Amino acid sequence: MPKYVYDFTEGNKDLRDLLGGKGANLAEMTNLGLPVPPGFTITAEACRRYLEDGGLPDGLQDEVDAHLAALETGMGKRLGAADDPLLVSVRSGAKYSMPGMMETVLNIGLNDESVQGLAKQAGDERFAWDSFRRLIQMFGKTVLDIDGELFENAIDEAKRSKGVDSDLDLEAADFQRLVDTYKGIVREHTGSDFPSDPRTQMRLAVEAVFSSWDAPRAIIYRRQERIPADLGTAVNIVAMVFGNLGMESGTGVAFTRDPGTGQRGVYGDYLQNAQGEDVVAGIRNTVPLQDLEGIDSESYRELLEIMKTLENHYRDLCDIEFTIERGKLWMLQTRVGKRTAAAAFRIATQLVDQGLIDLDEAVSRVTGDQLAQLMFPRFDVGADLKRIAKGMNASPGAAVGKAVFSSERAKELADQGEAVILVRRETTPDDLVGMIAAQGVLTSRGGKTSHAAVVARGMGKTCVCGAEELEVDGQERRFTGPGGVVVEEGDVLSIDGSTGEVYLGEVPVMASPVVEYFEGTGERGDELVEAVHRIMTHADGRRRLAVRANADNPEDAARARRFGAQGIGLCRTEHMFLGDRRQLVEDLILAGRGEERRAALDALEPLQKSDFVGLLAAMDGLPVTIRLIDPPLHEFLPDLTALSVKVALAGADASPRDRRLLEAVKRLHEENPMLGLRGVRLGLVIPGLFAMQVRAIAEAAAERTAAGGSPRAEIMIPLVSAVQELEGVRDEAERILAEAGVEAEIGTMIEVPRAALTAGQIAEAAAFFSFGTNDLTQMTWGFSRDDVEAAFFSRYLDLGIFGVSPFESIDRSGVGRLMSIAVAEGRATRPGIKLGICGEHGGDPDSVHFCHEIGLDYVSCSPFRVPVARLEAGRAALAEGSTDSR
Amino acid sequence: MPKYVYDFTEGNKDLRDLLGGKGANLAEMTNLGLPVPPGFTITAEACRRYLEDGGLPDGLQDEVDAHLAALETGMGKRLGAADDPLLVSVRSGAKYSMPGMMETVLNIGLNDESVQGLAKQAGDERFAWDSFRRLIQMFGKTVLDIDGELFENAIDEAKRSKGVDSDLDLEAADFQRLVDTYKGIVREHTGSDFPSDPRTQMRLAVEAVFSSWDAPRAIIYRRQERIPADLGTAVNIVAMVFGNLGMESGTGVAFTRDPGTGQRGVYGDYLQNAQGEDVVAGIRNTVPLQDLEGIDSESYRELLEIMKTLENHYRDLCDIEFTIERGKLWMLQTRVGKRTAAAAFRIATQLVDQGLIDLDEAVSRVTGDQLAQLMFPRFDVGADLKRIAKGMNASPGAAVGKAVFSSERAKELADQGEAVILVRRETTPDDLVGMIAAQGVLTSRGGKTSHAAVVARGMGKTCVCGAEELEVDGQERRFTGPGGVVVEEGDVLSIDGSTGEVYLGEVPVMASPVVEYFEGTGERGDELVEAVHRIMTHADGRRRLAVRANADNPEDAARARRFGAQGIGLCRTEHMFLGDRRQLVEDLILAGRGEERRAALDALEPLQKSDFVGLLAAMDGLPVTIRLIDPPLHEFLPDLTALSVKVALAGADASPRDRRLLEAVKRLHEENPMLGLRGVRLGLVIPGLFAMQVRAIAEAAAERTAAGGSPRAEIMIPLVSAVQELEGVRDEAERILAEAGVEAEIGTMIEVPRAALTAGQIAEAAAFFSFGTNDLTQMTWGFSRDDVEAAFFSRYLDLGIFGVSPFESIDRSGVGRLMSIAVAEGRATRPGIKLGICGEHGGDPDSVHFCHEIGLDYVSCSPFRVPVARLEAGRAALAEGSTDSR
């Protein structure tokens, strides 16, 4: 039989799997000799047994009894004894903190008898009865599942009948009457009396914590955060200490350094004569932690000493909850504390300088997401800001524009060159046009998985959602905010997607000093920039993955190179067909076969060649992977419906070109263009198209070589599903390259499930694979990003079907499995094959780790994400062999 | 070192891998003591070495020399000797016969000297010089790759200068001059003299046969027929015998029974004083084989004896090539002969009755394709037929209708209820509308992989293609045929897609007696029907796969049951939303949320219920798998472009319903509906939709039970990609079933790649899997059938990228691999899980074998294909353990 219960003296911080985060850290502090109230932890293993068997496991009760007895002996009190009762709190504590689970029941052990004993011992009847009513209220709500409002209403009624406004005005007798009322509520809603037996209270509370592991909100949270469903939660039983036993008592929180900036110093808040929940409820104002020195200098000094001990011990910023009971300091909790992105980088390097951690550790302490946050432009917080609301930081960035309240208006103004912010109560798929047209999106309803949030993140568009203080009136085209502020259509707004802040008027946007550093234009010397520099340099030295960029023009390529890209992993040649070249592409499509088509291709070739010359120059000496044209041709033509309406309305006056275009649009129309005539299929069906592109590449490379450059072009064939397709195209390309005397590797995208499944065959004809995970995700899941992201992703996230959109982060079980198959079987056929990824996942931290794990050679992402990928590649290399890769 | 050369006395018929089909059968006949001209076979292994190393393998020449010496000794002649030369033929012979490869060079051994010896020995100078010119012509064309027309032109010139019309009028001197001319052609086009050394002739011919294995046409044929590329071909060296040495000589072909009907008897043709190639060239008319009795009764009796021996030995119909040289009979080739579908069934059971084979063997001797041919309606060949052309039998069936020459006209007449045949020179994607509207398609150009052929087969539409005798004039809307027959638009045509015949006028269509047998309406006693009955009964007893049908209404279900279906594998509930119910579905889509939507669903429920009652009654006692609604809702609404044009043209007069509809169409419009909001996604996003269907199923089952029936409904969820989707829907369905007191299994389609890749998880929530291989093929290959089949499949078939469309037959490497993964991992999770297939592949013979091999429990196909699937399931069970499953 496993050991189910650990005294705080028995555990340590590395036993989080067993004792949960809270229990493990309480044990760690106990063993450090810090003043932790005595107690013990029931393991997560006991919870798992309970959930499987539907009852407490054999032997658990005996162990609990034994530990409780020891606790009673140590404290010199008995649980719920009438004269001088020991009270305990029951607190959940899973490995990862998790909303939706039951958290805490305080004051376990009180009943009609022991409440008298508590009053006597504390010398405070009001305190004792208030504690008792709190127990029944908390227990009723969380253990017995009674609607909490019933208890709140009873308090309100008590205040009303007494004619007072505040709880503070209620006296002992009032609370005593409330206890009776509360007991009635419990009886009415459960059919039983509130359990007066202290051990029964404790047992029921423990079972309630166990059961809350499977509460619906907890399940959905776990799905979203990808926390395994079978971990279970531990439960901590802790002797109660009271910060509300007079002005010599109090409670507070502290940080070992500033979580906002990383500065060392004394940060925290303190509240005299209060319990933790009162701080949260905001009944009175807290004072800065420094003020504790004047209130209780001994406890203050002791606390500072403890904070130093903890930071040296945990080698990181810690946050702390503590209580002072009549001059005696107690530590109730500690953990490695959350911090801002800037603080994370600063703290990591400060700890290196202090000799507490090494640079490897520093790299693993910061994340790509934090680096990305530092790279977004930000509002100048020094400016004269008029903040009018705060919502959720749904999609980062800083956006400024005129408020508009409908998609139509957003499009209209955007078409006139105006920057707009789309403001909606909530968005629907109908708002897509407006979201595309706007600089940013602001909603008053919905959380981080709402339609607006999901779609905006997908677009990389700034979004603040769920700003509930705002009343949005779409009909009247305005919203009202706190303090009666009214914003009409056309008024300028500034929204900060990284913080959720909404400002009235135009807030100046500041470039990120970290971006200036990467660009080489910023000043060095700033502590943050130095920290980023040291960490990035070290990550580069550790990583095994190369990082390339997706870029289609020399400017992007040059920027990517400044950002550290080691080549181009994806140049989309069709992007070179847009703008003023669209006419040439139309000519190509309208051309018949033979001579006419050849002429159209000939007109495009020199333009393509000059594109490639520029790109190869910008990446001279580094590989440049050029993908031949991928999208269906009709993407270069007008929309079928719009053109049909135009021609129908014009009737006999329709222009010949429009008529001819309409015929072509109809001929090329596809029901499912994503699954249509594109990629290698186009190359095989339209003779000369790929050949023109390959010739342009070959001639560009030859020109660069003649100019003394070192061009390293690679030719990539898209949408291959069978090796036979690749063979046909490759043979022709090799012929053209040989004619031009140019060498270039020829490889393929792996973006169709069948390509991954037959990668062993395809590798015979491919010098490299590049995973196109956008298409691969679409086909593996059978949904097109455009169509479904707006239509049902937010619902799927709400239902917990996705933890995260598979377009944001690689779906390891499905798409990832195909990638693993392709890597293994591609390498089996051609051991030296070069393997990379050029889907948008190439810049996603979790996906970069996955690419490292399956052994790719490089990732390629947008230029702006290159530093993120470099950092995460370094972190992935350092995480290798670590058991906990989350 | 392997043995590369086998004398005919050393081989046997089971060595086809090594000796090829021709060589193995020549050896077999030699060992049976039949009169085969002596010779030997160079193995396919030697060919493989040659192709790999680019030269004849070491030791081969020595072996050939030794066998040639033995041959010379046996024949008492030396190869190409001046006085009495031994001549040989060099013939290719791969394991599978294969167009595109070099076939034969006759008369090897002739040169300026030996031609004299041959003339002397034969007593016929003209014969000798003609033989020499044939050698140079055949050798020049096939070994030296000289355009054959040059030789033909030289003969024509010889005849013209002599003023005669026929080769028969040329004399020895003329042929001698032709030999000189031919030698000049060879010199001019190769830069060398025609090789006079007999051994050089032989060696070059052998190498040419080897090289022709990789001729482009052979490569494409192998890809199409899925013949492995590395088999190589054997080469046979055979002593020449001459059927053209006077009226006591001759050549012929024979069948051991009628390949058209299976009747026993003497079938074949004979031509006196001729060689095999003359029969093919049709210089003179052959006589029926029976006439040989009067010409050479001894050879005739000997031949009949040999035919009997061969049929008993091969236990099957054999075809035979033979030559009589001056009264001496020689067997040149035999093989198991091709036959019609009806003959195949008759012969198989006749051989059983003769005790030559057992019923297992009989089942494996017929194919599902043959059975399908017997089930197509056929033209009454007894009617007064006016055949005007013959093209390729591209897609089987019998179609009658008015000739039309454009898609527009086809659609126009079809909309008026007329049956039409679309006649085109060749079709393009633009003809799709017309092909859909027509009963059948007739083209004058293109082969079995032409656009018309591929698309028609995909549609199951009758098609004759490449009827090259027809001159189609689309402008004038008519075609002219042989003999000046002119068919104008509107004239009635009958086309037979099973034979390629084209008839003028309406030919009566006869029902198939085999279908009448399955229906139970035909008369028994017919030999063919009895044969089918015996074979089907035996196949049913052997097969492990159950066979179900895809059916959406009681009529189809009842027919399927008569055809032997053991349940319904797929009922598409959305088919019940068509016709006069479309209005109700429109209402549902236009409805808002809440009450309005509920009312729309309530209106549909009783209709759905009554559908299910009928279906469960028709399949009482057997499982009926009902798939909840699958397609996107906009499929039930008008087309976006058409409605947009309608509303735009109506302007202010547009009806409110049309405006509202247009809004809905726009809202629901998807770029890629195949990858859109459909299947389980609809069920999760539109509350109440699936619930309504499940309730209708539950109530239908309850009603059937109350009426004394045994309903066995199974509920199938489409388009699942993640187990979480299925769980949500399943929980709700189970609740509804429990409320109705009905039991029904709940399972899922596996039709999205991710579902196959995560089948181990999905099996936790699914009682059964049904592979939806249409969608699975679309997503695994990344192409939508509608879009690409017309656009590029014919090109892909031509290029050999597909051997067969993956929509016709399961692509084993890609789609099949996903299926295998899902079978293994689904069963690992849930050992008793029921596994089936309900894509159109369920009725395809090769796919049925694949389903058997991976261990599915059942296949489901259209009612008409049920007998085919039954037969192939039996054959698959019998083929188990056989090494050659092709």
Side-chain angles (χ1 to χ4, degrees), chain B residues 693-826:
Chain B
Q693 295 198 293
V694 173
R695 216 159 27 238
I697 294 167
E699 286 170 10
E703 184 173 317
R704 286 290 309 148
T705 304
S710 302
R712 288 179 58 194
E714 301 176 336
I715 295 172
M716 182 156 73
I717 315 300
L719 216 73
V720 165
S721 341
V723 66
Q724 293 91 334
E725 295 173 308
L726 182 59
E727 284 167 352
V729 171
R730 182 203 54 182
D731 293 350
E732 182 182 35
E734 281 179 347
R735 212 160 38 240
I736 294 168
L737 291 168
E739 279 166 19
V742 166
E743 287 191 1
E745 290 190 336
I746 298 170
T748 183
M749 304 275 286
I750 301 287
E751 56 184 335
V752 175
R754 193 177 189 280
L757 291 164
T758 61
Q761 293 167 32
I762 292 176
E764 286 173 13
F768 60 88
F769 287 169
S770 180
F771 289 98
T773 46
N774 297 348
D775 267 289
L776 194 58
T777 299
Q778 299 195 88
M779 294 174 194
T780 303
W781 282 86
F783 44 50
S784 110
R785 180 165 194 170
D786 295 338
D787 293 315
V788 297
E789 202 163 60
F792 73 82
F793 268 30
S794 63
R795 176 110 179 105
Y796 266 38
L797 288 163
D798 278 346
L799 292 172
I801 290 173
F802 303 141
V804 56
S805 157
F807 292 116
E808 278 183 47
S809 197
I810 288 173
D811 149 44
R812 293 181 177 220
S813 322
V815 176
R817 182 171 184 187
L818 285 176
M819 293 172 70
S820 301
I821 288 173
V823 166
E825 298 179 9

Side-chain angles (χ1 to χ4, degrees), chain B residues 34 145 367 552 700 761:
Chain B
L34 304 186
D145 210 20
T367 68
D552 313 321
Q761 293 167 32

Side-chain angles (χ1 to χ4, degrees), chain A residues 430 641 644 671-675 681 684 725 752 754 757 780-784 787 795-796 811 817 825, chain B residues 641 644 671-675 681 684 725 752 754 757 780-784 787 795-796 811 817 825:
Chain A
D430 295 343
T641 300
S644 297
E671 285 303 315
N672 297 279
M674 194 72 72
L675 303 177
R681 300 164 194 164
L684 288 167
E725 296 174 307
V752 175
R754 193 176 189 280
L757 292 163
T780 303
W781 282 86
F783 44 52
S784 107
D787 293 316
R795 176 111 179 105
Y796 266 38
D811 149 44
R817 183 172 183 185
E825 298 179 11
Chain B
T641 300
S644 296
E671 284 303 316
N672 298 278
M674 194 71 73
L675 303 177
R681 300 165 194 164
L684 289 167
E725 295 173 308
V752 175
R754 193 177 189 280
L757 291 164
T780 303
W781 282 86
F783 44 50
S784 110
D787 293 315
R795 176 110 179 105
Y796 266 38
D811 149 44
R817 182 171 184 187
E825 298 179 9

Side-chain angles (χ1 to χ4, degrees), chain A residues 543 545-553 556-558 560-561 564-572 612-627 697 701 704 709-716 743-747 767-770 834-838 857-861 866:
Chain A
R543 67 188 158 92
L545 281 171
V547 176
R548 299 192 192 177
N550 301 344
D552 313 321
N553 58 60
D556 283 355
R561 195 165 190 169
Q566 297 157 287
I568 289 180
L570 173 63
C571 159
R572 305 174 193 83
F612 297 138
V613 168
L615 212 57
L616 291 169
M619 277 287 171
D620 196 56
L622 295 175
V624 175
T625 306
I626 298 169
R627 181 178 73 184
I697 294 168
R704 286 291 308 150
S710 303
R712 288 179 57 195
E714 301 176 335
I715 295 172
M716 182 157 72
E743 286 190 2
E745 290 191 335
I746 298 171
F768 60 87
F769 287 169
S770 180
K834 199 161 29 168
L835 303 172
I837 179 176
C838 62
D857 296 306
Y858 68 87
V859 298
S860 185
C861 55
V866 165

